[in-house]
Amino acid sequence: MRAALLIKMVLLLQNRPSMTAAELAQELEVSERTVTRDAQALSEAGVPVYADRGRLGGYRLIGGYRTRLTGLARSEAEALFLSGVPGALREMGLEDAASAARLKVSAALLPSLRDASRSASQRFHLDAPAWFREADPPQLLPVVADAVWDDRLVTARYRRQDTEVERELEPYGLILKAGVWYLCARVPEHRAYRVYRIDRFTSVTPGEERFVRDEEFELPRFWEERAEQFARAILRSAAVLRLSPAGVRRLPYVTDPAAAREALEAAGPADEQGWVRIVLPVENDDVAYSQLIVLGAECEVLEPAALRGRFTETTARLGDLYR
């Protein structure tokens, strides 16, 4: 543990002209007294750490010293590829590994390029969770993430409706979709890939055995195909609509974009007022109502009768309210 702190201190000093004891203590999450002790230990070990005295003083490396301790550990290299998703790293327990990896990469760069990471972070940021959703990462996510990195079999219990089911799983990959974590896993007894919401796991126990990963499996392609299948599967009903030109433009933003696009492409010609008639796949009447009500007077529901009746009732109530 102390060796890692000493290495991190050297890398920090190598990346900056000078740092105060307070700045080092904050970066290393130790006391200033520990910083002083470790700086002395480095100096005794031959690392030219120099302490400038006075109010504006601090620690710095002299003589153009450069450490060769910049090789990335496997966990650091893997975490580095996820460094654009800081929230995900934190939730998976990889924040420290990513921090160490960034330091090592910065230390290996030429001085003129050392500000590249800061420059990029000031210009680009990925905020994965959806709006109006409090971040609440699943408690078992770090355990699942470790098993994914290590290709280790797990025994998992998860909630399925009103029951709990236990499965042995080969954890292939993690997906973060709109702030919700999913696990893609292969069930050995069926040799089939399935997707699980991690917040529905009640227990995850890693085993001693490792599984042999299918090298042809591609997580992005699998998720794209599964997400498309899911979106298609839930659209079990249909609604017949009349849309104004404004309604046509806005429809893909209030319902499934692919379903809206296909429905519009299959529509006939517009009438004299520019309105078009389409048949839109929907999940059910309740979901269709909540989506289409956003279009207001730019959309007329023709069928089914029950859904049209809900809009008729809403229109009457709004008329009474605003009359």
Side-chain angles (χ1 to χ4, degrees):
M1 181 67 178
R2 190 185 179 199
L5 285 174
L6 292 173
I7 292 171
K8 190 172 183 179
M9 179 184 287
V10 173
L11 292 172
L12 285 168
L13 293 174
Q14 186 170 310
N15 288 329
R16 306 183 193 179
S18 177
M19 295 183 69
T20 66
E23 290 171 338
L24 283 168
Q26 182 177 2
E27 290 280 354
L28 299 172
E29 298 181 353
V30 297
S31 66
E32 292 186 31
R33 183 175 180 179
T34 299
V35 169
T36 302
R37 183 196 64 191
D38 288 351
Q40 182 177 352
L42 287 171
S43 180
E44 292 173 355
V47 178
V49 178
Y50 181 77
D52 291 316
R53 305 297 180 184
R55 184 172 61 87
L56 300 178
Y59 293 92
R60 59 186 175 88
L61 293 174
I62 60 176
Y65 179 84
R66 293 184 60 81
T67 176
R68 295 186 179 181
L69 297 172
T70 53
L72 292 177
R74 181 176 181 83
S75 63
E76 294 168 349
E78 291 168 337
L80 188 61
F81 286 101
L82 296 170
S83 59
V85 196
L89 283 168
R90 183 170 55 253
E91 292 173 11
M92 287 190 292
L94 295 173
E95 190 172 28
D96 289 343
S99 175
R102 286 191 294 267
L103 274 174
K104 291 182 178 181
V105 170
S106 296
L109 294 174
L110 293 172
S112 60
L113 300 177
R114 297 252 179 90
D115 66 340
S117 61
R118 181 173 180 272
S119 175
S121 66
Q122 287 179 330
R123 290 164 173 80
F124 302 99
H125 177 68
L126 176 62
D127 186 8
W131 285 105
F132 314 117
R133 181 183 180 277
E134 294 184 4
D136 187 17
Q139 293 183 350
L140 294 173
L141 177 59
V143 178
V144 177
D146 285 344
V148 169
W149 287 122
D150 209 22
D151 293 342
R152 192 175 295 277
L153 282 166
V154 301
T155 301
R157 293 186 62 85
Y158 65 96
R159 295 187 301 274
R160 188 169 67 182
Q161 297 179 347
D162 297 330
T163 62
E164 280 196 6
V165 180
E166 183 173 290
R167 287 281 188 273
E168 184 180 55
L169 302 175
E170 298 175 351
Y172 262 67
L174 293 168
I175 302 104
L176 178 61
K177 171 69 172 178
V180 179
W181 284 96
Y182 296 89
L183 170 69
C184 167
R186 186 167 63 180
V187 183
E189 59 181 302
H190 302 302
R191 308 302 294 175
Y193 295 98
R194 296 179 180 172
V195 176
Y196 302 87
R197 275 186 61 145
I198 294 180
D199 58 7
R200 292 180 183 167
F201 285 135
T202 58
S203 69
V204 177
T205 305
E208 295 297 325
E209 184 180 354
R210 288 182 171 85
F211 64 91
V212 178
R213 181 176 288 268
D214 181 358
E215 297 300 330
E216 296 184 359
F217 176 82
E218 296 180 11
L219 183 61
R221 184 177 65 183
F222 169 82
W223 178 254
E224 182 180 0
E225 293 173 353
R226 183 57 60 91
E228 183 176 350
Q229 292 171 6
F230 175 77
R232 298 285 183 183
I234 64 174
L235 301 179
R236 301 185 181 94
S237 301
V240 181
L241 315 174
R242 284 184 70 243
L243 295 170
S244 71
V248 168
R249 291 192 299 270
R250 291 169 57 189
L251 184 66
Y253 298 99
V254 302
T255 188
D256 179 76
R261 183 173 59 253
E262 292 181 5
L264 291 169
E265 290 174 351
D271 61 19
E272 295 178 356
Q273 289 77 37
W275 288 58
V276 297
R277 179 187 176 107
I278 70 168
V279 179
L280 177 70
V282 296
E283 185 173 347
N284 53 51
D285 285 0
D286 289 336
V287 173
Y289 175 82
S290 65
Q291 293 174 337
L292 298 176
I293 193 68
V294 177
L295 297 178
E298 308 303 329
C299 170
E300 179 187 2
V301 176
L302 303 177
E303 298 177 21
L307 182 59
R308 181 178 175 85
R310 290 184 66 175
F311 277 89
T312 301
E313 180 185 353
T314 299
T315 302
R317 291 173 59 192
L318 286 171
D320 292 340
L321 185 64
Y322 287 98
R323 183 172 295 120

